[in-house]
Amino acid sequence: QQDFPYGTPQPLTPNRFTPPEMMAFDRWTNAVDSTTYTNCETVCNLATGGVFVLYATWKDAPSYAVAFDGNGADGGSMATNRFECGKGGKLPANAFTRTGYAFDQWTNRVNGATFADGVTFAEDLAPTNGTATLSALWTPNRYWVAFDANGGAGEMAAQEFIYDVAQALTSNAFTKTGHSFAGWATDATATGMSPPLLGDGAVVSNLTAEADATNTLWAAWTKKSYEIRFDSAGGSAVGAQTNEYGSALTAPANPTKTGWTFVEWRLNGVKFDFETATMPAEDITLVAFWTENGRYTVRFNGNGGTNALGQATYEQLFTNDVAGVLRLNGFSRPGHDFAGNWTNAAGSAYA
């Protein structure tokens, strides 16, 4: 309130009201005849007495706009904000998202100025009624690729990747007996080409979008095939077999040899049992073992002992109806002495 002596001009008191947001003081007006008065205008005799009320009127304050550009964002939106000139302001929090990236800061591409998320600023960012466009700056996420041998052997360190940067996978260093490396699978159960595998040293990108996450690749394996060759030792020819590693085996038809009886197939001098054996991780050659007709073989089993060659069995050939002397024991067994006799499956003893 301001007192005025009648007939004495004096300036109106400066406006001390706080304007509404984004508004500025315009002038004073009265409710009698709508006459307006500027701030601090000199007036006289506004009334003959009593209280003469002046009302503040407001106008839009000088302002500028700040728009926000997602700059590659694939989610979120942000409305344009207005700021009053000369009063600074506070940027809103970023609401954009971008797959595989983390928000870093804002930049004004006109002058190169940068602003942290939600920062308070003092200087105007644009001229009156102008617009400043702030573009989001993004940092690509880092992630890791781990390698699982998936039944194989060996070690491989995890590999660092940056989102949106293509990079060759570390070459496979795993091995698996009887198998070939087929590629990398994104599923631990994948074995063949479904889903499609990533090749050894494949150039890949964006295996995950999550920051500092670990994406595991599993080695996919295919079984190798190996050959069994048959040496009939003078008998009829027997064709080779090709079998997948670890697969069950089927004995071929026995070869024939005039004057001899086929006994068995042997690997490195030891009987090869087709019923219990599976295909090893290598090519092998089996040799036919024969007995001459009218003769038979006695096989000696070390029963826990081995001979000087490390073998658990050895054999001696006898002629039907002709007495022969059994070989001296050639086995030894740590912590044991030979009892002095042999027994057969029926329990009969032989010195």
Side-chain angles (χ1 to χ4, degrees):
Q1 184 169 307
Q2 183 181 0
D3 292 332
F4 284 82
Y6 191 81
T8 302
Q10 69 182 49
L12 294 171
T13 300
N15 168 57
R16 292 195 295 270
F17 292 119
T18 300
E21 186 176 358
M22 298 296 294
M23 303 295 288
F25 177 77
D26 185 15
R27 57 186 62 236
W28 301 103
T29 186
N30 67 69
V32 177
D33 58 9
S34 300
T35 301
T36 60
Y37 307 91
T38 60
N39 199 28
C40 300
E41 182 178 333
T42 298
V43 297
C44 182
N45 301 340
L46 295 183
T48 57
V51 177
F52 187 77
V53 179
L54 294 180
Y55 297 89
T57 61
W58 309 97
K59 62 182 178 180
D60 290 336
S63 65
Y64 60 90
V66 174
F68 300 92
D69 170 26
N71 188 27
D74 50 19
S77 62
M78 294 184 69
T80 297
N81 282 212
R82 294 201 70 84
F83 294 91
E84 189 173 345
C85 294
K87 290 192 174 182
K90 179 179 174 65
L91 293 179
N94 169 56
F96 292 120
T97 58
R98 184 178 178 184
T99 300
Y101 288 78
F103 177 77
D104 182 18
Q105 59 185 351
W106 300 104
T107 184
N108 185 330
R109 296 194 183 278
V110 174
N111 56 23
T114 57
F115 306 88
D117 196 22
V119 70
T120 298
F121 58 91
E123 301 294 330
D124 289 353
L125 303 185
T128 301
N129 295 325
T131 298
T133 298
L134 300 184
S135 297
L137 294 180
W138 303 94
T139 299
N141 290 337
R142 178 186 67 170
Y143 64 94
W144 300 88
V145 173
F147 302 93
D148 189 299
N150 196 21
E155 294 184 359
M156 291 185 66
Q159 185 177 2
E160 182 179 358
F161 279 77
I162 301 298
Y163 195 82
D164 267 348
V165 177
Q167 183 175 329
L169 292 171
T170 303
S171 295
N172 172 55
F174 297 130
T175 58
K176 187 176 182 181
T177 300
H179 291 73
S180 297
F181 178 72
W184 298 107
T186 54
D187 183 336
T189 62
T191 53
M193 296 302 288
S194 180
L197 302 177
L198 300 174
D200 195 15
V203 176
V204 299
S205 63
N206 304 349
L207 296 183
T208 180
E210 185 179 351
D212 294 318
T214 297
N215 186 84
T216 300
L217 297 179
W218 286 266
W221 305 98
T222 55
K223 289 185 177 181
K224 293 181 179 180
S225 292
Y226 298 92
E227 190 173 70
I228 300 178
R229 303 183 187 93
F230 298 92
D231 178 356
S232 60
S236 59
V238 177
Q241 292 182 359
T242 299
N243 297 281
E244 194 175 76
Y245 170 74
S247 63
L249 302 176
T250 301
N254 293 339
T256 59
K257 184 178 180 180
T258 302
W260 297 78
T261 299
F262 175 79
V263 178
E264 63 195 13
W265 292 104
R266 294 187 175 184
L267 176 64
N268 300 323
V270 179
K271 178 182 178 181
F272 188 84
D273 190 344
F274 278 89
E275 293 186 0
T276 60
T278 58
M279 189 67 212
E282 61 181 346
D283 295 336
I284 59 175
T285 298
L286 300 182
V287 180
F289 180 74
W290 305 88
T291 56
E292 191 174 359
N293 292 344
R295 307 187 76 182
Y296 62 94
T297 299
V298 174
R299 178 178 293 131
F300 298 86
N301 188 302
N303 192 25
T306 55
N307 64 14
L309 298 177
Q311 297 171 327
T313 63
Y314 60 78
E315 295 165 348
Q316 183 178 356
L317 191 63
F318 288 85
T319 302
N320 289 337
D321 297 325
V322 177
V325 179
L326 293 175
R327 291 176 54 178
L328 292 176
N329 171 47
F331 294 115
S332 62
R333 182 176 176 185
H336 293 74
D337 291 324
F338 180 60
N341 61 303
W342 304 91
T343 58
N344 62 17
S348 300
Y350 302 90

